[in-house]
Amino acid sequence: MMDMMNTIELMTLGFLSEEPLCGYRLRKKMEQLQGYMQAVSDGTLHTVTSRFVKAGYIGETFNVVNGRRLREFHLEPAGRAALIDELKNTSGYMLTNITKWAVVMSFLSVIPDEEDRRVVLRRRLDLLESDVRRLYSDGEGPIDNDDVTDKYRRAIIMVHDAEIDAERSWLKQELGIDK
């Protein structure tokens, strides 16, 4: 159906893998997970859920609650298979962008095979072992962190480096790799 899911699509299938949800509760869960990144509009969620219903990834039921018609979604087997495939093949920005990676990690346990989960974690660790510590650019290439003089940018670098160190440590522990 699609080459690579975006975070809204991934969260839709991920949250529905946990329980059936109405659109409102699904949107609220997405907003909680994404934090400051961006709000999820009703229109975007409606577009995704309608496309997924048509593709057979999710099903829908209608109930009347407090006199109002409530549309509730549930995950179909094809949707679970698509979610697992997407998670197993995590790459690109879903692997490199920390906010997108947090979405992937939130649903990684949906992958039934432990070894397949470990492959994804190893891919992330390999990325963190590369040159990911340079946050700023002069427009032509990355600036060495030691050349950044602004104290607020240096603070961002310090926090960023601590996060990378903590994640790298966790990944190595999870993968059973000696530090």
Side-chain angles (χ1 to χ4, degrees):
M1 184 177 135
M2 59 187 66
D3 292 329
M4 189 169 99
M5 289 185 198
N6 63 40
T7 54
I8 303 295
E9 294 163 338
L10 188 65
M11 287 188 294
T12 297
L13 296 181
F15 283 124
L16 291 177
S17 75
E18 298 170 354
E19 63 181 321
L21 295 165
C22 68
Y24 175 80
R25 288 191 56 224
L26 182 57
R27 185 172 54 83
K28 288 300 184 185
K29 284 181 162 244
M30 289 178 182
E31 289 174 353
Q32 180 68 37
L33 178 56
Q34 288 190 117
Y36 61 87
M37 189 173 108
Q38 67 181 11
V40 178
S41 74
D42 290 332
T44 298
L45 186 57
H46 177 74
T47 300
V48 170
T49 55
S50 294
R51 192 165 15 100
F52 280 179
V53 166
K54 191 178 287 186
Y57 286 5
I58 63 176
E60 60 186 340
T61 56
F62 295 91
N63 300 309
V64 176
V65 177
N66 296 329
R68 296 182 60 179
R69 188 172 178 216
L70 181 68
R71 183 179 180 196
E72 189 173 74
F73 302 101
H74 60 272
L75 191 65
E76 295 288 352
R80 180 173 296 282
L83 174 61
I84 290 168
D85 186 60
E86 184 70 22
L87 291 167
K88 283 171 55 174
N89 293 296
T90 297
S91 63
Y93 286 122
M94 296 302 272
L95 189 67
T96 62
N97 179 286
I98 188 62
T99 306
K100 294 177 186 304
W101 174 246
V103 171
V104 170
M105 281 287 287
S106 294
F107 303 112
L108 205 59
S109 62
V110 172
I111 298 173
D113 184 65
E114 175 67 26
E115 189 53 37
D116 288 338
R117 291 191 297 263
R118 292 172 61 80
V119 167
V120 176
L121 295 177
R122 183 64 207 210
R123 208 174 297 140
R124 174 69 178 177
L125 179 60
D126 289 346
L127 169 78
L128 294 182
E129 298 287 17
S130 68
D131 188 19
V132 294
R133 293 186 181 263
R134 295 183 184 175
L135 291 179
Y136 297 101
S137 170
D138 62 7
E140 294 182 21
I143 297 173
D144 190 278
N145 287 348
D146 294 334
D147 294 336
V148 175
T149 58
D150 181 89
K151 73 177 183 176
Y152 301 106
R153 288 185 178 190
R154 293 205 53 77
I156 293 295
I157 290 168
M158 184 176 70
V159 169
H160 178 258
D161 287 354
E163 289 173 346
I164 288 174
D165 289 342
E167 185 179 359
R168 187 185 293 124
S169 177
W170 180 84
L171 285 166
K172 286 180 177 182
Q173 178 183 347
E174 185 69 16
L175 293 168
I177 298 171
D178 292 332
K179 298 176 183 188

